[in-house]
Amino acid sequence: MKTFEGSMTALATPFLDGALDEGAFRALVRFQLDGGTNVLLPMGTTGEAVTMDADERARAIAVVVDEVKGRVPVVAGAGSNSTRETIDSVRRAREVGADGALIVTPYYNKPTQAGLVEHYRAIAKAHPGFPLIAYNVPGRTGVDLLPETVLQLCDIPEVVALKEATGNLIRAVDLVEKCGDRMTFLSGDDFTVLPFIACGGKGVISVSSNVAPRMMADLVAAARSNDIAKARGLQVRMNALHRLLFVESNPIPVKWALHLMGMFGPEVRLPLVPMGEANAAKLKAELSGLGLLKA
């Protein structure tokens, strides 16, 4: 089974007049490949997957797979708060050529830890041999996938990695202590890439790499090769960008940033709305300072 590590981008989804802008999406994929991104992840939170129907999501994944042409792995966001629906979403992702699936813990219905294990077990049973990345983001889902539970997931061969988005570095150490090298741990928090890798992580699933793929790829590579000075410099240099990309609900700011960079329009789907003027001005100034805007 494939494993996934390095600098991994949770792709934003461009819309034009309410529909997927396939040309702009392909351009974003090429921008990521040129910037050294190791893995692409369409249809996550950043991709506004929850506002897209199943056919739209499948088409978006297919576009990424077609544009990538096997140069890097494509991991499709396929999680929901329904195990049955998640199993079907993984099926659709497989059918259009995804290399793996990112499965967020079920949100809103707040399963127990035992329920989380059975959720992942059922998905793996339905898709034997297909790599899954579990995704823990309690700030959005209302449920925390605890280290003791992740240890139980190690018994499921299809669960090859965990995206850990608590930003808690004690948690990062606890995970490595319990699971060792059995599972690949990926930061889901742009603010802590260097310390997370120092604690045993092998990469990041990033929002900021949408707009700064080369900087994030260089940061991850430096951290993984123990070039701490370079990695620290890049982590600090990108810190203000991270703050501004999360100053309003993701993906509002990152889509505005990509709009300012000439990649595509800032269109988001309700209940999200475009970025407020004051924050937008701050984001533009930071992008300019980082040299990310066209002259």
Side-chain angles (χ1 to χ4, degrees):
M1 256 183 298
K2 292 185 178 181
T3 57
F4 311 106
E5 53 191 57
S7 182
M8 307 165 64
T9 299
L11 293 167
T13 304
F15 297 123
L16 182 62
D17 297 327
L20 174 67
D21 186 343
E22 292 192 11
F25 206 22
R26 289 178 182 275
L28 178 61
V29 169
R30 293 192 296 270
F31 179 58
Q32 294 298 312
L33 295 174
D34 290 344
T37 298
N38 301 116
V39 180
L40 294 176
L41 289 100
M43 296 298 95
T45 305
T46 310
E48 292 175 87
V50 292
T51 67
M52 299 170 68
D53 64 34
D55 289 339
E56 287 180 308
R57 292 193 294 269
R59 179 56 192 164
I61 297 163
V63 167
V64 176
V65 170
D66 181 66
E67 191 64 34
V68 165
K69 293 180 171 59
R71 286 172 285 183
V72 300
V74 176
V75 176
S80 77
N81 63 339
S82 162
T83 304
R84 181 181 297 179
E85 182 179 332
T86 300
I87 289 170
D88 187 63
S89 294
V90 174
R91 176 187 61 79
R92 284 173 169 266
R94 295 185 72 177
E95 287 175 348
V96 297
D99 299 291
L102 178 70
I103 309 295
V104 71
T105 55
Y107 42 86
Y108 188 75
N109 40 16
K110 301 177 74 171
T112 64
Q113 296 298 300
L116 291 173
V117 173
E118 293 310 311
H119 176 71
Y120 286 103
R121 196 187 306 280
I123 298 163
K125 183 177 180 180
H127 297 282
F130 189 67
L132 307 174
I133 302 177
Y135 178 15
N136 186 39
V137 57
R140 280 186 179 269
T141 63
V143 62
D144 191 1
L145 184 64
L146 299 175
E148 295 78 10
T149 308
V150 177
L151 179 59
Q152 294 182 63
L153 296 185
C154 290
D155 293 332
I156 304 172
E158 286 77 9
V159 181
V160 299
L162 170 70
K163 178 184 178 183
E164 173 57 46
T166 61
N168 182 341
L169 296 174
I170 297 174
R171 172 68 59 86
V173 176
D174 288 345
L175 287 166
V176 175
E177 177 192 12
K178 291 187 178 301
C179 302
D181 294 329
R182 158 57 185 87
M183 193 173 293
T184 297
F185 296 115
L186 303 163
S187 173
D189 175 58
D190 282 322
F191 295 92
T192 58
V193 176
L194 170 57
F196 189 90
I197 291 174
C199 290
K202 294 185 178 179
V204 62
I205 297 178
S206 172
V207 174
S208 297
S209 58
N210 274 278
V211 302
R214 176 55 62 187
M215 276 192 279
M216 183 57 75
D218 287 349
L219 165 55
V220 172
R224 296 190 69 192
S225 64
N226 293 316
D227 188 345
I228 301 302
K230 180 177 181 180
R232 181 175 60 243
L234 286 165
Q235 185 76 68
V236 172
R237 185 182 180 200
M238 297 182 74
N239 202 42
L241 176 65
H242 301 328
R243 280 198 303 270
L244 289 164
L245 291 180
F246 288 93
V247 71
E248 296 182 18
S249 297
N250 179 47
I252 293 170
V254 73
K255 293 191 86 169
W256 192 264
L258 289 164
H259 166 59
L260 293 173
M261 294 169 66
M263 298 293 294
F264 49 79
E267 187 173 326
V268 291
R269 286 185 172 178
L270 288 169
L272 301 184
V273 294
M275 197 171 189
E277 290 185 8
N279 287 329
K282 294 175 185 177
L283 178 57
K284 183 176 182 178
E286 183 59 26
L287 292 171
S288 180
L290 291 173
L292 296 173
L293 297 183
K294 296 177 181 178

